[in-house]
Amino acid sequence: MGMLAPSMMCAQIDKLDETLRAFEKAGIEYLHIDVMDGCFVPNLMLGTDYVKQLRKLTSIPLDIHLMITEPEKKISWFDFQPGEFVSVHHESTKNWRQALQLVRDAGAKPLAAINPPTPVSVLEDVIDLIDGVLVMTVNPGFAGQKAVPETIAKIHETRELLARHGLAHLPIEVDGNCSFEMAPKMRAQSADIFVCGSSSVFTKSMPMDEAIAKFRECVK
Ligand code: DX5
Ligand code: ZN
């Protein structure tokens, strides 16, 4: 069964409480928080205070996507909690291992994040440190993009690499254009966790509870 991680950058701030209650009622598994610094990605979104405030509003575990430069110098700013996923991009630091280890030392679950052009093989460098992988299916920074076609095959390639290390059970998360059309293709490649944004849960074409139910059907 695929798990849903709605992208909180798509959530309307004036409806946040209503949205969180709907997510709790629907059994949403994680809340995906896109932390963007305007340097690693050309956008500025959701900082440390948003993360801290959101923890007070819901018990749904956070899935924090660090799109920031030199993450190893900023891990301590976030007060990560046990049970939270924290994704660190290969492309964001020369000290990828150090950054992932700091996430683990903080008690959270480190995910290795790779952008569309980055080969899956880089995961070999950190395979002993991770609790899963975030495969970007768009170039990070903005909602509403179309998936990069070549990224879909990377999902299964990632599963095969994990399996070669006896880690086939680790979750693979996909982020970007997880639409009702694309999600079944991603699921067929063994994706486990789906970042749901404007293409699905936050779609304007149907009520949110309907969109969630429809998406669950897509990733059974
Ligand atoms: C991309 C963001 C995601 C996602 C949003 O950088 O991390 O939040 O793309 O969802 P979509 O792609 O469906 O609008
Ligand atoms: Zn993200």
Side-chain angles (χ1 to χ4, degrees):
M1 185 74 149
M3 293 178 273
L4 277 63
S7 176
M8 296 309 287
M9 71 182 278
C10 300
Q12 280 183 246
I13 198 80
D14 59 327
K15 295 184 179 166
L16 188 56
D17 196 57
E18 175 189 331
T19 301
L20 292 173
R21 299 300 78 83
F23 285 170
E24 289 161 354
K25 186 165 172 240
I28 291 294
E29 289 86 353
Y30 294 96
L31 298 181
H32 187 82
I33 303 175
D34 287 312
V35 179
M36 303 183 188
D37 66 0
C39 295
F40 180 64
V41 291
N43 199 354
L44 210 50
M45 292 293 286
L46 307 186
T48 54
D49 193 57
Y50 178 90
V51 173
K52 287 180 183 144
Q53 293 304 322
L54 193 61
R55 282 197 189 100
K56 296 176 190 164
L57 298 177
T58 181
S59 57
I60 300 176
L62 305 189
D63 164 37
I64 302 161
H65 182 187
L66 297 182
M67 288 170 272
I68 59 178
T69 54
E70 298 186 309
E72 65 277 11
K73 296 179 179 169
K74 302 162 186 170
I75 299 285
S76 61
W77 298 358
F78 287 86
D79 191 23
F80 295 132
Q81 300 299 307
E84 292 181 345
F85 280 131
V86 179
S87 299
V88 180
H89 270 271
H90 164 76
E91 309 86 356
S92 68
T93 172
K94 294 188 183 69
N95 303 301
W96 199 20
R97 287 185 60 87
Q98 181 194 5
L100 291 163
Q101 184 61 57
L102 286 168
V103 168
R104 183 173 294 288
D105 293 348
K109 297 187 285 189
L111 298 185
I114 51 175
N115 277 338
T118 302
V120 167
S121 56
V122 303
L123 297 172
E124 297 283 0
D125 302 340
V126 295
I127 195 72
D128 57 315
L129 283 176
I130 60 176
D131 285 330
V133 180
L134 173 63
V135 176
M136 289 304 299
T137 41
V138 295
N139 286 298
F142 296 92
Q145 302 178 78
K146 287 298 172 209
V148 176
E150 294 76 13
T151 61
I152 306 308
K154 286 177 73 176
I155 303 166
H156 194 258
E157 198 185 332
T158 298
R159 182 69 65 200
E160 287 175 332
L161 185 148
L162 291 172
R164 287 198 297 275
H165 291 272
L167 298 171
H169 60 286
L170 291 186
I172 297 175
E173 180 173 24
V174 285
D175 184 355
N177 192 216
C178 295
S179 62
F180 300 118
E181 179 206 353
M182 289 303 297
K185 298 183 177 89
M186 296 167 171
R187 181 71 177 147
Q189 294 287 323
S190 86
D192 300 295
I193 304 174
F194 297 80
V195 176
C196 299
S198 63
S199 325
S200 52
V201 165
F202 292 100
T203 180
K204 302 277 188 241
S205 61
M206 68 184 79
M208 181 178 277
D209 56 348
E210 256 182 64
I212 292 171
K214 181 174 180 180
F215 195 87
R216 284 220 185 273
E217 281 302 305
C218 293
V219 295
K220 272 197 298 194

